[in-house]
Amino acid sequence: MTNLLNQNPKTQTPNLKTLLEKSPYQAYVYSYPHKTAYRPLTPPLPFNEVWSQQDKRSLFLYIHIPFCEMRCGFCNLFTTVTHNEDFVTQYVRTVQRQAQRVRSALGEASFARFALGGGTPTQLPIHQLEAILNVAEETMGASLQNIPVSVEMSPETATQDKLKLLRDRGVDRASIGVQSFIESEVLAIHRRQSTAQVEAALTRMQEVGFPTINIDLIYGLPGQTVDTWLQTIHHALRFQPEEIYLYPLYVRPLTGLGCSDKEWDDIRLACYREGRSLLLSSGYTQVSMRMFKASPSSPLSPDSPIYCCQADGMVGLGCGARSYTNTLHYSNEYAVGAKEVRHILQAFIETPDESFDFVRYGFELDEEERRRRYILLSLLSDEGFNLDAYYQQFGTDMFEDFPELSQLFSLNLATQNEQILHLTEVGIERSDTIGAWLFSQRVQQLMQSYNLK
């Protein structure tokens, strides 16, 4: 059978060896396509039509809170530090209005997971935090006591009353952004937390009894060495978290940091390798380049499923939230600069109720993009890529669709055991290069032409 994917030379993937000779950190690959590939949808699409063909029996619900107490020097998220109580109240009321329209238009649906992210959701006053949980449970119909629920927080905002509220309402995964236990490194990325403050927050989280506590750490920070990085990981291990994420530092336009590429790459690679080795020897298994989870045989292992917002149809609420169907990803516009973020937030707050019935900004996935996304998300996880499952999903052979993927074997980046492809240790290390390599030319061009605000 003739494969239509390979008849258009514009869809061909570039040479991987050439990319590997550059920085191992090509792009921070946590979703596909990236939000900078989204564009206005003309005409806007009715919400109920967008979701009419989607399987809605096991959806992911995500609510975005765009408020932080400070903006980290590396942060390129859609968030703001300039807000007062009135503005926060207006935002929460708008999410409530949006949820009512979305739930009505969505029709019969069931939610299998819920995540509250940001920003920093626990930056909300406790009564507003409770109002958002009510949106998830009462308006959207997510049974928070019976599904995995994750909430992001910071050391400064993880107060006893908020932690107790979250746990009482069914939150079973608390994720805290620590980044480093070395105060000079934290200060260098414009965070004002103290080590004592972080330790106190983690102790409170343990006392409240979250089944899963996740600690986010970052390597490649200004002034960081391999030794100080290992000190940070050892410090985190004192709290025996069920999950640890090791993130490489990426510096993005309109953020506050800058580094020398070659020297920086050497430090990041060395930190990654030593950190990985330490966690594996400490009873953790590697789920992806970033995620480490307590081993199944370990008493630290959580019973809840791995948190992953990419694998399900996702309904996003809030100004910075993304939503996913099989064929359309959509959101509001994206910005990093304080002025533009504020402008987009104000427009969201002023949105008339009926406007929530339409999708106006996003990316439509054709058959090739769906295949690329499936390959990328499967290959970059520890589960690996199943050739039979791909055939059942798309009716074609992956190597016929993308023969360039054979480069993974010749470069010792992947192995194949029967019908399962797994990245090698070297391949996992280069996940951000492999992920960026799998981006289509269409997505790359849209990302490059995007005017970051």
Side-chain angles (χ1 to χ4, degrees):
M1 182 174 69
T2 302
N3 193 318
L4 298 178
L5 285 178
N6 292 317
Q7 291 185 349
N8 184 352
K10 290 185 179 181
T11 67
Q12 297 303 299
T13 307
N15 185 278
L16 180 55
K17 185 177 181 181
T18 302
L19 289 180
L20 291 172
E21 292 170 351
K22 300 177 181 179
S23 169
Y25 301 100
Q26 296 293 319
Y28 183 31
V29 181
Y30 60 91
S31 67
Y32 181 81
H34 190 270
K35 208 171 182 181
T36 53
Y38 294 11
R39 294 294 186 273
L41 299 171
T42 307
L45 305 175
F47 185 97
N48 57 350
E49 292 183 12
V50 166
W51 283 92
S52 63
Q53 301 303 312
Q54 180 74 29
D55 184 348
K56 294 178 285 189
R57 293 173 297 178
S58 182
L59 297 177
F60 192 111
L61 176 63
Y62 176 79
I63 299 181
H64 180 257
I65 305 299
F67 307 121
C68 286
E69 68 266 27
M70 67 191 107
R71 184 153 198 131
C72 301
F74 59 84
C75 179
N76 72 327
L77 299 178
F78 184 87
T79 186
T80 180
V81 299
T82 55
H83 51 271
N84 55 33
E85 184 177 349
D86 180 61
F87 192 78
V88 171
T89 298
Q90 291 181 63
Y91 181 84
V92 171
R93 287 176 178 168
T94 305
V95 173
Q96 292 170 326
R97 292 192 297 111
Q98 180 189 25
Q100 290 169 355
R101 304 294 290 208
V102 166
R103 190 67 190 87
S104 176
L106 192 61
E108 187 175 348
S110 178
F111 292 97
R113 296 180 183 181
F114 169 55
L116 183 56
T120 309
T122 46
Q123 178 73 14
L124 290 175
I126 190 166
H127 68 285
Q128 302 286 22
L129 184 59
E130 186 166 25
I132 290 295
L133 294 173
N134 290 340
V135 167
E137 190 151 34
E138 297 172 8
T139 306
M140 297 303 296
S143 180
L144 303 188
Q145 297 289 345
N146 299 306
I147 62 174
V149 178
S150 178
V151 174
E152 298 173 5
M153 57 193 65
S154 67
E156 225 176 67
T157 63
T159 58
Q160 187 72 26
D161 57 345
K162 292 177 183 177
L163 294 176
K164 185 177 185 305
L165 168 68
L166 293 172
R167 187 69 194 106
D168 288 347
R169 293 296 297 269
V171 176
D172 56 7
R173 181 182 184 272
S175 181
I176 187 166
V178 173
Q179 322 317 352
S180 173
F181 283 91
I182 309 297
E183 291 188 3
S184 60
E185 295 175 2
V186 170
L187 186 61
I189 55 172
H190 310 163
R191 290 175 73 99
R192 57 175 179 259
Q193 71 196 31
S194 68
T195 299
Q197 186 180 45
V198 174
E199 291 174 337
L202 285 165
T203 299
R204 289 193 297 270
M205 291 162 68
Q206 289 181 319
E207 290 172 347
V208 168
F210 292 102
T212 299
I213 292 176
N214 171 70
I215 298 177
D216 287 344
L217 303 174
I218 294 181
Y219 55 93
L221 299 175
Q224 189 179 59
T225 66
V226 174
D227 285 342
T228 62
W229 169 239
L230 293 178
Q231 288 176 38
T232 279
I233 298 177
H234 277 295
H235 208 135
L237 290 173
R238 295 180 196 173
F239 294 91
Q240 298 186 311
E242 288 73 22
E243 296 175 4
I244 298 181
Y245 275 70
L246 306 183
Y247 289 96
L249 177 67
Y250 274 98
V251 175
R252 297 305 191 198
L254 304 184
T255 62
L257 299 178
C259 299
S260 169
D261 289 342
K262 180 63 177 73
E263 180 181 357
W264 188 24
D265 281 348
D266 291 344
I267 286 289
R268 285 186 292 183
L269 278 174
C271 285
Y272 165 80
R273 290 167 181 168
E274 292 295 327
R276 174 183 184 274
S277 178
L278 174 55
L279 289 180
L280 294 180
S281 68
S282 300
Y284 288 79
T285 57
Q286 187 168 17
V287 177
S288 66
M289 176 183 167
R290 294 167 176 77
M291 181 183 179
F292 293 80
K293 180 174 178 257
S295 300
S297 59
S298 167
L300 305 179
S301 181
D303 295 327
S304 59
I306 293 173
Y307 172 66
C308 176
C309 69
Q310 304 301 325
D312 308 288
M314 186 162 77
V315 178
L317 300 174
C319 191
R322 284 187 267 201
S323 298
Y324 306 108
T325 72
N326 289 337
T327 57
L328 179 70
H329 292 190
Y330 63 89
S331 68
N332 287 301
E333 289 193 56
Y334 170 63
V336 174
K339 183 178 179 180
E340 289 296 333
V341 168
R342 184 74 178 197
H343 175 76
I344 293 171
L345 281 171
Q346 189 62 48
F348 174 73
I349 287 172
E350 295 172 0
T351 302
D353 288 359
E354 58 273 15
S355 290
F356 290 123
D357 295 340
F358 294 88
V359 175
R360 303 173 185 278
Y361 190 79
F363 181 96
E364 296 185 79
L365 285 77
D366 60 19
E367 197 70 9
E368 180 193 348
E369 299 294 4
R370 293 179 62 196
R371 285 173 163 86
R372 285 185 180 274
R373 185 171 188 272
Y374 187 97
I375 294 169
L376 188 151
L377 297 179
S378 302
L379 197 57
L380 299 188
S381 75
D382 65 331
E383 294 182 9
F385 178 83
N386 188 311
L387 289 166
D388 285 341
Y390 179 90
Y391 184 84
Q392 292 172 12
Q393 178 87 7
F394 298 107
T396 56
D397 179 87
M398 187 269 286
F399 285 113
E400 290 184 7
D401 289 346
F402 302 97
E404 59 270 32
L405 290 176
S406 62
Q407 295 177 55
L408 293 171
F409 302 115
S410 61
L411 294 170
N412 192 34
L413 299 173
T415 59
Q416 182 175 345
N417 181 9
E418 296 182 347
Q419 293 298 300
I420 307 295
L421 272 64
H422 284 284
L423 293 182
T424 62
E425 185 176 319
V426 176
I428 295 171
E429 180 180 282
R430 301 292 173 133
S431 289
D432 283 355
T433 301
I434 294 170
W437 172 65
L438 288 169
F439 286 13
S440 71
Q441 187 178 71
R442 174 192 173 202
V443 166
Q444 291 181 49
Q445 289 174 342
L446 286 168
M447 291 173 64
Q448 290 167 6
S449 63
Y450 183 80
N451 183 24
L452 188 61
K453 301 173 182 177

